[in-house]
């Protein structure tokens, strides 16, 4: 008797938590399909806001900027992060611990501080604001995540595969291409998806580094909200949420199926 | 024969240099620049002359608007962290200990998913819910709700990882020694899950005190806290040195916090 | 197939001496066992020969040519790792052919040699399987085939049978020996299992704390250990200490043992001791006698071991014998333990 009560209670608690987590998202998605521009009921299904979205040049351009930056960020951060992680985890040298610790500031320091310091530095050194600065910032945030994801894989599966390759006559280059990279690929893919999500969703850094006129999607959404929203925001927000969550589902599946055995 | 060691070091440097140079350029140098700026009276841009001053730092301690709102930021951090732990720990415990098999993975994923969606969009979605008859929008509690919603999955995640690594046989051993379920929880489970709790505290408290986007969107006029004030210096008031000083003060407080927690962390975390 | 020479090799990690002026030679084609407790340095030595560890001092040579500055991938060795280290992204054929592929061997030749190897390790037909689809024993054989296909000068095995269960271990020991005999490659393997070292090796070396304690054929090392450590690490040993007087050793309780040699410490292997009921007269050639009382009888079906207390301070002796008569003596029985002076071995302390 006690166990079935406990069973019931625990399931209910989780259900409540999940409800809390998904309620606002569900409401927003609902409203995106509602014909009423003032979010009033009764609910009338309409794709009008999605169509208006396509005509909203500002949002569209910002969207393409976001995707473009996110793609560039993914490539750069994944390459730099993977190489860095290999260097950190496959070689013995003094200062390894220090380098590992240096990965913490980008993750733990509030983005507000990172963003404003970048603004100061870029302005001062003439790099200035712009899509290129935003990319610089996004990559900086993504690299630690990539290094941690790839690093954890490198740590759990020690160097024995590369050692075996060496005993079989493979020079370091051959060992890297034939053994390390294939074994690492699930983690690299997961890290890349991570990097894409980090960049695509990033608001604070983009906010400070965006020049007047051009921006990324989150920044554009923020400005619209502050001005008083148009219902297209609901539509674009729905798209973004579904894309982000879809990406994370991909990461989760990647990590489980290819990653740990 | 240092041949092998030298080769290893060279290779390691070649591989890690690009990533760390990037980080130096975008994180470490900017932070140093900001530290430098915080000691100047005006920003040395556009040909202006700057002079060394401590006035911004002093202003933090003397002008009520600053330290009072820094305190409000801490209060916010405290409430949000507390609520996240109060609601998140039980959820994590249920997931880790009471649910098994496919359900566990699926539910875990469901819990974590919103966390990885766009923060801005999530915050915005709360405005949909909080407006209207609830009348909660643009109040302090709207900010709290929004932030708890954002960081609750974080708390569940870290507590779950910590709880999951506790071997069931430890609980069974405690029970076999005569401990009731509650005693087993208090004496075995809870102490062993402290790393997870601590990680949650650090991962939630720090970003919350530095947040400005959620306060502004959800709190409107009640969003007078350190985060928005700092943001103001850079986007409206253009008093960059002051903004820099306030940022560094915030950073300093975060560091003090981390240093205080690190011995406990290092003891419990492998 | 090469002769390997290790001369005065030392390696230090911080303040710990992993290897302390180790000198050994490994004959062309022999099966050599490095035996020692964990942390003894045996694995470090193996990895030094492989090239993963660079000695601080000393020289390692293959057929007279020094190799310390030759990187691993140019040493022409073959190595089987404790966890096999099979490449998960390649199938069995791909794994075995790896060493040939990186050398640019033609596809045709690769196929021939892989087939040859599969036959040698008795895995024909399993070429398309992935490592994770194989059992532990099968994985081990793939690892062996992979290491041998390149016809290495030296084959290095790092606790090769450690991950297998008892029955599989015994099977694999036989197969391993057979494969090594057929290929004729100089093989050096590391183990902490003394039985394995004894059954597989042509010669063994006992390593402790970075130093070679004793080298020799299993028979020599087992029957004539040079130190107490060697005696105790390889098998069990009963130790007797006393005062030397020409050919005899005087124990402090007055007992006198005939013990050839000069040391004041001798050991006797348990299986060399026979147990007689008090009152029975042992044969004349077993002239070393000690009275005692049985503390514990350990009956294992085919064999019986006794723990016997002897002397004024109740020193414990262990005896071991085949169960020929099917008769078990019980704890508390008064007995006489007898053995031959020829089996009383003088050792350094």
């Amino acid at each position: 008797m006690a166990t079935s009560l406990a069973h019931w209670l625990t399931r209910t608690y989780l259900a409540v938590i999940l409800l809390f987590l998904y309620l606002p998202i569900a409401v927003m998605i609902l409203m995106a399909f509602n014909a009423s521009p003032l979010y009033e009921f009764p609910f009338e299904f309409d794709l009008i806001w999605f169509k208006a979205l396509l005509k909203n040049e500002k949002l569209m351009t910002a969207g393409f900027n976001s995707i473009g930056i996110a793609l560039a960020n993914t490539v750069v951060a994944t390459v730099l992060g993977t190489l860095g992680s290999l260097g950190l985890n496959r070689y013995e040298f003094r200062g390894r611990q220090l380098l590992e610790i240096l990965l913490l500031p980008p993750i733990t320091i509030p983005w507000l501080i990172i963003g404003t310091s970048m603004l100061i530095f870029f302005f001062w050194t003439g790099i200035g604001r712009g899509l290129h600065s935003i990319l610089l910032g996004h990559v900086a945030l993504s690299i630690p995540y990539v290094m941690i994801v790839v690093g954890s894989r490198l740590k759990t599966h020690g160097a024995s595969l590369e050692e075996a390759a060496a005993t079989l006559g493979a020079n370091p280059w051959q060992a890297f291409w034939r053994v390390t990279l294939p074994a690492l690929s699930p983690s690299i893919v997961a890290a890349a998806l991570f990097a894409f999500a980090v960049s695509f969703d990033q608001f604070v850094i983009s906010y400070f580094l965006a020049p007047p006129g051009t921006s990324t999607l989150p920044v554009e959404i923020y400005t619209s909200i502050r001005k008083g929203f148009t219902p297209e925001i609901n539509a674009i927000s729905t798209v973004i949420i579904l894309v982000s969550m879809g990406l994370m589902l991909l990461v989760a599946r990647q990590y489980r199926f290819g990653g740990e055995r | 024969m240092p041949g092998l060691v030298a080769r290893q070091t060279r290779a390691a440097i070649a591989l890690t240099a690009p990533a760390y140079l990037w980080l130096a350029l975008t994180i470490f140098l900017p932070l140093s620049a900001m530290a430098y700026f915080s000691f100047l009276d005006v920003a040395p841009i556009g040909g202006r002359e700057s002079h060394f001053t401590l006035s911004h730092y002093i202003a933090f301690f003397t002008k009520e608007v600053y330290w009072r709102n820094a305190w409000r930021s801490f209060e916010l951090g405290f409430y949000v962290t507390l609520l996240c732990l109060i609601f998140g720990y039980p959820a994590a415990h249920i997931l880790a200990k009471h649910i098994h098999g496919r359900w566990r993975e699926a539910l875990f994923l469901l819990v974590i998913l919103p966390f990885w969606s766009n923060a801005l969009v999530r915050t915005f979605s709360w405005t949909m819910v909080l407006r209207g008859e609830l009348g909660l929008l643009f109040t302090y509690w709207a900010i709290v709700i929004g932030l708890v919603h954002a960081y609750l999955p974080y708390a569940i995640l870290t507590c779950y990882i910590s709880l999951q690594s506790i071997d069931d046989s430890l609980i069974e051993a405690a029970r076999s020694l005569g401990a009731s379920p509650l005693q087993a929880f208090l004496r075995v489970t809870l102490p062993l899950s402290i790393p997870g709790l601590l990680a949650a505290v650090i991962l939630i408290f720090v970003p919350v005190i530095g947040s400005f986007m959620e306060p502004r969107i959800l709190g409107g006029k009640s969003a007078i806290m350190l985060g928005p004030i700092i943001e103001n210096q850079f986007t409206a008031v253009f008093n960059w040195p002051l903004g820099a000083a306030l940022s560094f003060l915030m950073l300093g407080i975060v560091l003090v916090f981390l240093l205080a927690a690190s011995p406990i962390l290092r003891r419990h975390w492998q | 197939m090469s002769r390997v020479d290790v001369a005065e090799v030392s390696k230090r990690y911080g303040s710990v001496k992993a290897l302390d002026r180790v000198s050994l030679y490994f004959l062309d084609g022999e099966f050599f066992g490095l035996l020692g407790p964990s942390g003894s340095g045996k694995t470090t030595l193996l990895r030094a020969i492989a090239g993963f560890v660079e000695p601080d001092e000393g020289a390692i040579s293959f057929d007279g040519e020094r190799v310390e500055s030759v990187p691993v991938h140019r040493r022409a060795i073959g190595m089987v790792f404790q966890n096999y280290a099979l490449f998960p992204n390649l199938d069995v054929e791909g794994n075995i052919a790896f060493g040939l592929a990186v050398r640019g061997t033609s596809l045709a030749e690769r196929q021939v040699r892989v087939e040859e190897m599969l036959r040698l390790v008795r895995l024909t037909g399993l070429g398309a399987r992935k490592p994770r689809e194989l059992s532990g024993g099968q994985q081990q054989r793939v690892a062996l085939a992979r290491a041998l296909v390149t016809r290495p000068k030296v084959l290095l095995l790092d606790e090769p049978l450690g991950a297998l269960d008892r029955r599989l271990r015994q099977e694999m020991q036989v197969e391993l020996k057979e494969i090594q005999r057929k290929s004729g490659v100089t093989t050096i393997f590391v183990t902490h299992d003394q039985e394995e070292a004894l059954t597989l090796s042509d010669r063994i070396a006992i390593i402790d704390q970075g130093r070679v304690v004793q080298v020799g054929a299993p028979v020599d090392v087992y029957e004539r250990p040079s130190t107490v450590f060697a005696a105790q690490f390889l098998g069990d040993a009963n130790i007797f200490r006393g005062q030397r007087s020409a050919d005899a050793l005087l124990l402090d309780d007055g007992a006198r043992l005939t013990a050839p040699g000069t040391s004041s410490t001798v050991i006797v292997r348990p299986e060399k001791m026979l147990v007689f009921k008090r009152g029975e007269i042992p044969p004349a050639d077993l002239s070393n006698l000690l009275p005692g009382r049985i503390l514990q009888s350990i009956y294992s079906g085919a064999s019986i071991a006794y723990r016997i207390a002897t002397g004024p301070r109740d020193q414990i002796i262990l005896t071991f014998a085949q169960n020929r008569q099917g008769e078990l003596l019980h704890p508390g029985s008064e007995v006489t333990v007898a053995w031959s002076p020829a089996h009383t071995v003088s050792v350094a302390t």
Side-chain angles (χ1 to χ4, degrees):
Chain A
M1 246 53 64
T3 37
S4 70
L5 178 66
H7 187 103
W8 195 84
L9 273 175
T10 55
R11 303 301 188 271
T12 315
Y13 184 78
L14 276 186
V16 169
I17 296 277
L18 282 174
L19 195 67
F20 173 67
L21 288 176
Y22 283 95
L23 177 69
I25 299 174
V27 169
M28 182 185 73
I29 296 181
L30 201 64
M31 287 305 161
F33 289 101
N34 190 5
S36 154
L38 294 171
Y39 314 114
E40 277 159 14
F41 284 107
F43 180 80
E44 213 187 294
F45 183 86
D46 203 326
L47 286 175
I48 179 176
W49 308 120
F50 289 92
K51 296 189 196 133
L53 184 61
L54 289 171
K55 299 209 196 74
N56 188 329
E57 268 202 42
K58 252 192 168 198
L59 281 179
M60 285 283 110
T61 326
F64 286 129
N65 286 341
S66 274
I67 295 178
I69 293 181
L71 285 173
N73 171 76
T74 304
V75 171
V76 177
T78 309
V79 170
L80 290 186
T82 304
L83 290 177
S85 201
L86 281 169
L88 212 52
N89 288 292
R90 283 285 181 262
Y91 294 88
E92 296 291 328
F93 58 97
R94 268 184 305 166
R96 258 190 72 190
Q97 268 220 328
L98 176 65
L99 284 186
E100 292 224 21
I101 295 179
L102 283 179
L103 287 180
L104 290 180
I107 312 182
T108 50
I109 298 181
W111 287 332
L112 170 67
I113 300 181
I114 295 185
T116 53
S117 66
M118 277 187 200
L119 177 63
I120 290 177
F121 185 69
F122 289 169
F123 228 81
W124 197 29
T125 53
I127 301 178
R129 294 185 290 180
L131 293 179
H132 58 286
S133 337
I134 294 180
L135 181 62
L136 277 174
H138 285 197
V139 172
L141 289 183
S142 306
I143 286 180
Y145 288 112
V146 173
M147 287 187 72
I148 290 176
V149 169
V150 174
S152 83
R153 180 73 206 264
L154 284 172
K155 279 196 238 276
T156 47
H157 296 247
S160 51
L161 286 182
E162 283 93 356
E163 285 182 351
T167 64
L168 291 163
N171 59 46
W173 191 240
Q174 285 173 314
F176 176 73
W177 280 109
R178 289 170 179 271
V179 176
T180 316
L181 219 47
L184 218 48
S185 60
S187 292
I188 296 182
V189 172
L193 289 172
F194 236 76
F196 188 87
V198 166
S199 169
F200 192 69
D201 291 340
Q202 176 53 225
F203 165 70
V204 178
I205 308 282
S206 313
Y207 177 73
F208 286 110
L209 295 177
T214 342
S215 71
T216 62
L217 203 50
V219 179
E220 203 52 55
I221 294 179
Y222 179 77
T223 336
S224 300
I225 296 177
R226 301 280 289 155
K227 282 196 235 156
F229 35 63
T230 51
E232 284 116 64
I233 302 294
N234 261 331
I236 188 72
S237 301
T238 303
V239 172
I240 293 181
I241 276 257
L242 292 175
V243 167
S244 303
M245 297 213 284
L247 266 175
M248 277 332 279
L249 270 171
L250 268 177
V251 174
R253 286 188 58 192
Q254 255 299 341
Y255 219 42
R256 246 173 329 119
F257 288 171
E260 312 320 293
R261 199 145 280 124
Chain B
M1 263 154 276
L4 189 60
V5 174
R7 255 182 287 140
Q8 294 231 311
T9 318
R10 269 203 303 270
I13 292 178
L15 287 172
T16 55
Y20 281 92
L21 279 174
W22 194 290
L23 288 179
L25 180 68
T26 52
I27 307 263
F28 302 117
L29 282 177
L31 283 175
S32 317
M34 188 162 83
Y36 174 61
F37 266 55
S38 68
F39 290 109
L40 302 174
D41 54 357
V42 287
I45 299 178
R48 270 177 265 143
E49 277 260 325
S50 312
H51 308 277
F52 177 83
T53 175
L54 285 172
S55 63
H56 305 299
Y57 284 98
I58 296 175
F60 176 78
F61 293 102
T62 55
K63 290 212 187 126
E64 192 180 326
V65 64
Y66 296 137
W67 59 255
R68 178 174 288 286
N69 287 301
W71 183 246
R72 271 169 64 93
S73 293
F74 274 93
E75 250 189 352
L76 185 66
F78 177 73
Y79 283 135
V80 172
T81 309
L82 190 65
L83 287 171
C84 281
L85 286 179
I86 290 179
F87 290 111
Y89 188 83
H93 192 265
I94 294 173
L95 267 178
K97 297 293 174 201
H98 296 269
I99 305 200
H100 306 281
R102 285 191 188 268
W103 268 118
R104 185 206 264 193
E105 283 183 37
L107 283 173
F108 180 69
L109 202 57
L110 272 180
V111 165
I112 298 302
L113 223 42
F115 170 63
W116 278 107
S117 61
N118 193 309
L120 178 64
V121 160
R122 260 184 296 135
T123 314
F124 170 65
S125 69
W126 269 109
T127 63
M128 301 273 98
V129 175
L130 293 174
R131 66 206 305 275
E133 4 73 67
L134 280 178
L136 273 173
L137 196 54
F138 304 132
T139 67
Y140 185 79
W141 291 106
I143 304 178
V144 174
I145 293 177
L147 285 170
V148 168
H149 182 261
Y151 290 98
L152 184 62
Y154 234 153
I156 299 181
L157 176 66
T158 56
C159 291
Y160 174 82
I161 292 177
S162 197
L163 283 166
Q164 203 206 21
S165 65
I166 298 177
D167 207 325
D168 282 335
S169 56
L170 291 174
I171 313 285
E172 288 171 359
R175 299 297 307 281
S176 73
L177 289 163
S180 70
L182 181 62
Q183 281 177 316
F185 173 76
L186 288 175
R187 286 171 177 276
V188 179
T189 312
L190 194 55
L192 285 175
S193 54
I194 287 185
L197 286 168
L198 264 176
V201 168
I202 293 177
L203 288 172
I204 299 177
F205 189 77
V206 171
V208 167
I209 59 179
S211 58
F212 75 92
M213 179 256 290
E214 292 92 343
R216 277 210 201 278
I217 293 181
L218 294 170
K221 298 252 180 0
S222 10
I224 313 292
M225 289 163 204
L226 197 54
I229 290 180
I230 293 178
E231 186 251 342
N232 238 2
Q233 307 308 316
F234 288 95
T235 56
V237 178
F238 289 110
N239 188 347
W240 288 11
L242 177 60
L246 292 175
S247 293
F248 253 91
L249 282 163
M250 178 191 281
L251 192 57
I253 296 168
V254 166
L255 266 174
V256 166
F257 199 69
L258 282 175
L259 281 172
S262 73
I264 316 175
L265 263 182
R266 226 175 304 134
R267 221 182 338 129
H268 286 273
W269 215 256
Q270 291 105 320
Chain C
M1 332 302 159
S2 287
R3 179 198 161 100
V4 179
D5 284 277
V6 172
E8 298 284 306
V9 163
S10 295
K11 179 72 185 175
R12 192 187 255 108
Y13 287 113
S15 57
V16 177
K17 269 204 169 147
L19 294 172
D20 191 1
R21 280 169 314 187
V22 171
S23 293
L24 283 172
Y25 64 88
F26 306 90
L27 293 169
D28 188 355
E30 82 174 325
F31 203 134
F32 195 103
L34 292 174
L35 177 67
S38 24
S40 54
K42 55 191 194 297
T43 308
T44 311
L45 180 59
L46 193 77
R47 287 170 69 88
I49 298 174
F52 295 118
V53 167
E54 208 167 350
D56 298 327
E57 289 153 20
I60 302 178
S61 320
F62 292 179
D63 279 337
E65 277 184 45
R66 300 224 354 202
V67 298
E68 308 94 68
S69 45
V70 177
V72 177
H73 60 272
R74 283 207 282 267
R75 285 199 191 192
I77 56 171
M79 188 158 176
V80 175
F81 293 77
Q82 203 167 353
N83 64 352
Y84 315 135
L86 296 180
F87 305 127
N89 54 308
L90 298 173
D91 60 12
V92 166
E93 269 180 20
N95 264 280
I96 300 179
F98 187 90
L100 301 174
V102 299
R103 262 162 252 245
T105 319
S106 73
L107 188 62
E109 183 170 350
R110 262 188 273 164
Q111 279 177 337
V112 168
R113 285 169 67 167
V114 167
E115 263 314 305
E116 198 185 306
M117 273 302 134
L118 283 173
R119 253 176 291 137
L120 181 67
V121 298
R122 298 190 299 118
L123 283 178
T124 331
L126 293 178
R129 297 262 182 97
K130 281 278 172 69
R132 62 169 180 274
E133 296 165 15
L134 301 173
S135 70
Q138 288 171 325
Q139 286 182 7
Q140 213 249 16
R141 279 183 266 166
V142 174
L144 196 55
R146 182 177 72 175
L148 285 174
V149 76
T150 57
R151 303 196 187 125
K153 291 186 187 158
V154 185
L155 179 65
L156 304 168
L157 307 170
D158 187 359
E159 310 250 15
L161 305 178
L164 304 174
D165 64 61
R166 189 182 156 79
R167 160 136 302 159
L168 206 47
R169 273 182 98 123
Q170 290 175 335
E171 277 178 31
M172 280 312 300
Q173 280 173 4
V174 174
E175 276 204 44
L176 199 54
K177 191 88 178 154
E178 189 52 31
I179 293 172
Q180 193 267 349
R181 195 189 57 80
K182 280 203 200 134
S183 62
V185 66
T186 314
T187 305
I188 307 173
F189 80 103
V190 154
T191 181
H192 60 272
D193 183 316
Q194 28 139 340
E195 192 194 308
E196 193 166 282
L198 287 174
T199 48
L200 290 177
S201 320
D202 297 324
R203 284 193 305 141
I204 63 177
I206 301 181
I207 314 245
D208 183 40
Q209 295 184 319
R211 296 209 187 94
V212 177
V213 172
Q214 192 171 356
V215 189
V219 146
D220 297 321
V221 180
Y222 182 81
E223 301 295 342
R224 281 168 290 284
S226 55
T227 67
V228 168
F229 177 84
Q232 287 184 310
F233 190 78
L234 200 54
D236 295 310
N238 295 303
I239 309 172
F240 299 102
R241 288 177 227 264
Q243 270 203 308
R244 176 142 295 268
S245 157
D247 240 17
L249 197 71
L250 294 163
L251 306 181
D252 28 355
D253 59 350
R256 192 175 175 284
L257 304 176
T258 312
T262 54
S263 165
S264 53
T265 309
V266 298
I267 64 111
V268 187
R269 296 283 185 200
E271 70 278 2
K272 309 294 196 286
M273 293 173 152
L274 289 176
V275 179
F276 298 90
K277 290 190 260 208
R278 197 64 66 79
E280 285 180 342
I281 304 194
D285 58 327
L286 304 180
S287 54
N288 278 335
L289 302 169
L290 279 180
R293 190 181 72 253
I294 296 187
L295 292 177
Q296 201 184 354
S297 12
I298 304 160
Y299 178 78
S300 307
S303 61
I304 299 177
Y306 292 114
R307 292 183 78 229
I308 298 172
T310 177
R313 267 162 308 143
D314 272 355
Q315 176 181 353
I316 312 265
I317 307 180
L318 191 66
T319 72
F320 180 90
Q322 277 185 325
N323 180 11
R324 286 240 182 78
Q325 322 302 78
E327 199 186 313
L328 186 66
L329 297 172
H330 295 288
S333 315
E334 298 288 334
V335 294
T336 308
V337 182
W339 71 93
S340 159
H343 295 140
T344 317
V345 184
S346 267
V347 296
T349 348

